[in-house]
Amino acid sequence: MKTSKIIEYLDNLFPNPVCELNFEKDYEFLIAIVLSAQSTDKRVNSVTPILFSEYNNLKLLKEANLCDLEKIIRPVGSFRKKAYYVKEIARILDEECGGVVPTDRDKLLSFPGVGRKTINVFLSEYYNIPAIAVDTHVERVAKRLGLAKENDDVLTVETKLQKKFDKSLWSRLHLQLVLFGRYHCKAIKPECYNCGLIDICREKKKNL
Ligand code: SF4
């Protein structure tokens, strides 16, 4: 069966998958995910140590000068809008959530810059709540492997993956698909010559 083959292959390739964003506290992780939109984990990891050491609690972050925040997070791109998100997320967490990132999806959706993908990544990684976050890598790999159709939107891809894989595998599978897409099944020049899933892949001919 296709899904068993995928699980077996990804388990061999990434036996201990971990999120590549660096963080210590819950709000640092949430903010790191928000900063990673349209950027890379590497770039985010280059700015968050500075950000979270200069503003090492939510009160300092919510009162930070916007221009100072913009200067720090500039390398991640869209820095004006993201600086506003950081300040506002810190304010909401401090004033409305007792300083703790909540598990309530509706509350999280009310945070600026926080969408379904961010929530899924956060809940599955930080609270170990089963979820499959569909980012650009997960979407691309799922479509190439025929787990979703080419014109499916991200929500449909997420639903299809949830139906095809056991709930206990979701969080791990998300990380494995991200790593597989980032390092092997890349958007440009995927490493099909070296891929153990080539037999079930829709795109192999195009890429070889
Ligand atoms: Fe990706 Fe190529 Fe493997 Fe298909 S054969 S899953 S495109 S790396």
Side-chain angles (χ1 to χ4, degrees):
M1 206 179 149
K2 184 154 78 172
T3 50
S4 327
K5 182 164 182 173
I6 292 170
I7 291 165
E8 194 185 329
Y9 184 67
L10 293 178
D11 275 347
N12 276 323
L13 207 53
F14 305 107
N16 301 300
V18 285
C19 174
E20 295 186 318
L21 287 171
N22 299 332
F23 63 93
E24 285 177 12
K25 302 172 189 161
D26 58 351
Y27 71 83
E28 293 182 359
F29 185 35
L30 182 65
I31 288 172
I33 304 168
V34 169
L35 293 179
S36 73
Q38 315 295 322
S39 190
T40 64
D41 288 1
K42 204 171 164 184
R43 271 191 223 139
V44 174
N45 288 338
S46 75
V47 305
T48 45
I50 306 164
L51 179 67
F52 298 131
S53 67
E54 288 198 21
Y55 304 92
N56 65 5
N57 61 55
L58 288 171
K59 285 192 182 9
L60 286 175
L61 258 186
K62 77 173 183 182
E63 283 158 12
N65 177 288
L66 209 49
C67 294
D68 292 340
L69 287 185
E70 288 173 1
K71 270 185 218 148
I72 294 172
I73 67 166
R74 195 183 181 104
V76 303
S78 307
F79 60 93
R80 290 209 169 85
K81 142 178 116 171
K82 287 179 181 174
Y84 164 75
Y85 294 160
V86 170
K87 246 177 96 73
E88 189 59 10
I89 288 170
R91 187 195 66 74
I92 298 171
L93 285 173
D94 187 51
E95 296 175 9
E96 300 174 22
C97 305
V100 177
V101 180
T103 54
D104 182 79
R105 282 178 173 272
D106 290 336
K107 184 65 187 169
L108 284 165
L109 262 182
S110 74
F111 289 39
V114 173
R116 186 175 179 86
K117 186 202 79 179
T118 298
I119 294 171
N120 282 342
V121 173
F122 183 84
L123 292 180
S124 83
E125 284 298 302
Y126 197 83
Y127 288 123
N128 216 13
I129 295 171
I132 301 184
V134 179
D135 70 354
T136 180
H137 300 300
V138 176
E139 181 180 3
R140 180 178 67 253
V141 173
K143 289 180 177 178
R144 284 177 173 174
L145 291 176
L147 298 167
K149 289 189 180 150
E150 196 49 49
N151 55 2
D152 283 345
D153 59 24
V154 284
L155 189 56
T156 307
V157 175
E158 183 183 326
T159 309
K160 286 187 173 175
L161 290 175
Q162 285 174 338
K163 281 189 186 149
K164 289 178 198 291
F165 295 92
D166 190 84
K167 203 170 184 175
S168 63
L169 298 172
W170 291 358
S171 300
R172 178 179 172 82
L173 181 70
H174 155 74
L175 287 172
Q176 290 172 323
L177 290 174
V178 169
L179 295 170
F180 182 54
R182 187 174 288 161
Y183 298 113
H184 298 267
C185 188
K186 295 175 268 192
I188 300 165
K189 294 194 181 164
E191 297 171 359
C192 306
Y193 55 86
N194 198 24
C195 179
L197 297 175
I198 197 160
D199 293 345
I200 55 174
C201 179
R202 283 176 177 167
E203 293 235 355
K204 57 193 173 201
K205 281 189 192 145
K206 213 195 299 180
N207 294 321
L208 277 172

